[in-house]
Amino acid sequence: MKPQQAKVYSPIEMVFISHILGKNKSEIQLYQPVLTKAQQKKLQKYNTLCAQNFPVDYIIGKVDILGNTFYVDKSVLIPRPETEELIQYVKNNTKNPRLLIDIGTGSGLIGISLSDVFSQVVITDISQKALNIAKKNIITNNKQNIIFFKSDLLKNKSLQNVLRQDVNWTLVANLPYVPINEKTQAKQNQVEYEPEIALYSGKDGLECFQRLVNQIKDIQNPPLQCFFELDPSHIYTAQKLLTTLGYTAKIIKDQNNLNRFLIGDLIVV
Ligand SMILES: C[S@@+](CC[C@H](N)C(=O)[O-])C[C@H]1O[C@@H](n2cnc3c(N)ncnc32)[C@H](O)[C@@H]1O
């Protein structure tokens, strides 16, 4: 009888097998485990979903970022590498590591990742489904200093009460920024399975940011520092808007040399 040849898996199948078996890729390569019938069935199901362009992170249901594990499903945006850059930038450049408000938190990625830097973190989202995922991520990553509110940007009254108590707060936001008419290109843009509420923001993509600026204008104690992730095509308009609020508005490039981040320091006179 011929010896059985080890099955050759594609790199993406290796990711799935590693998830199914709860083993890392080098263990699998070393021990070449044989999959049970049930495990093979699961792998087949994952391959089918993958062939339909269903994102690998949704299939596996989690992403490891900066030392934390984030559960993700179709109710939250899949974390992007640029947002990791934003988190690192906030870590290195915050001037007031007291109270951080993460607006439009999605999976909780930004607030949770920065909860070791700030004494208190508040995360908010307009989507209850997203908040449920973020809550789960707070618990599984064992973060004690995070509270959350369902809120349309800064509108929630309880959130405003928190802000009234601390004049020394920092705002971070990665809000939706895709123009609504680009919905028809969702498949092409590989975002067809992600929640529309996390992607689209009015006619020009700037509606959410514009509304947030208007809300900041109306509150008694605006944030001392703001950090935004934006679409590079919006950066100069956003910079102007932030400047009118009395902030320095510095543009920071991402790793691809695109004008991705806007950092505002409140000019105190
Ligand atoms: C681009 S996603 C970013 C998610 C997460 N912050 C990240 O960086 O991975 C935008 C998030 O903003 C939320 N959102 C959309 N409109 C909002 C609003 N008016 N107020 C608060 N959150 C909003 C969406 O539900 C979504 O979770």
Side-chain angles (χ1 to χ4, degrees), residues 4 11 14 19 30 45 71 76 87 99 110 116 119 143-144 148 153 182 203 236 238 251 261:
Q4 260 201 336
M14 285 300 277
H19 175 65
L30 191 64
K45 186 177 135 198
Y71 288 94
V76 293
I87 291 165
L99 173 64
I110 302 177
D116 296 338
S119 329
K143 303 295 182 185
Q144 314 284 343
F148 47 85
L153 304 172
E182 287 186 24
K203 226 172 155 184
Y236 293 115
I251 296 168
F261 310 112

Side-chain angles (χ1 to χ4, degrees), residues 75 102-106 123-132 149-156 175-176 196-198 200 208 211 215:
S75 34
D102 169 16
I103 299 172
T105 196
I123 61 172
T124 75
D125 206 289
I126 200 166
S127 153
Q128 186 58 52
K129 281 186 179 168
L131 270 186
N132 292 343
F149 295 107
K150 182 171 187 285
S151 180
D152 178 5
L153 304 172
L154 294 170
K155 259 190 177 173
N156 180 302
L175 293 167
E196 291 189 353
I197 188 94
Y200 303 106
C208 264
R211 284 185 56 234
Q215 289 182 7

Side-chain angles (χ1 to χ4, degrees), residues 66 68 70 83-94 97-98 100-102 108-121 123 143 145-146 170-173 227:
L66 302 170
N68 293 307
F70 294 89
T83 312
E84 244 181 275
E85 283 184 58
L86 173 70
I87 291 165
Q88 295 289 14
Y89 190 86
V90 179
K91 260 188 193 168
N92 297 332
N93 292 280
T94 178
R98 281 165 60 117
L100 177 75
I101 316 286
D102 169 16
L109 170 69
I110 302 177
I112 291 173
S113 302
L114 289 167
S115 63
D116 296 338
V117 178
F118 288 81
S119 329
Q120 174 75 57
V121 174
I123 61 172
K143 303 295 182 185
N145 59 339
I146 307 181
T170 302
L171 182 153
V172 64
F227 298 87

Side-chain angles (χ1 to χ4, degrees), residues 155-169:
K155 259 190 177 173
N156 180 302
K157 291 270 180 292
S158 311
L159 170 62
Q160 290 181 10
N161 282 338
V162 173
L163 298 183
R164 239 170 256 135
Q165 287 157 29
D166 199 332
V167 289
N168 222 337
W169 65 285

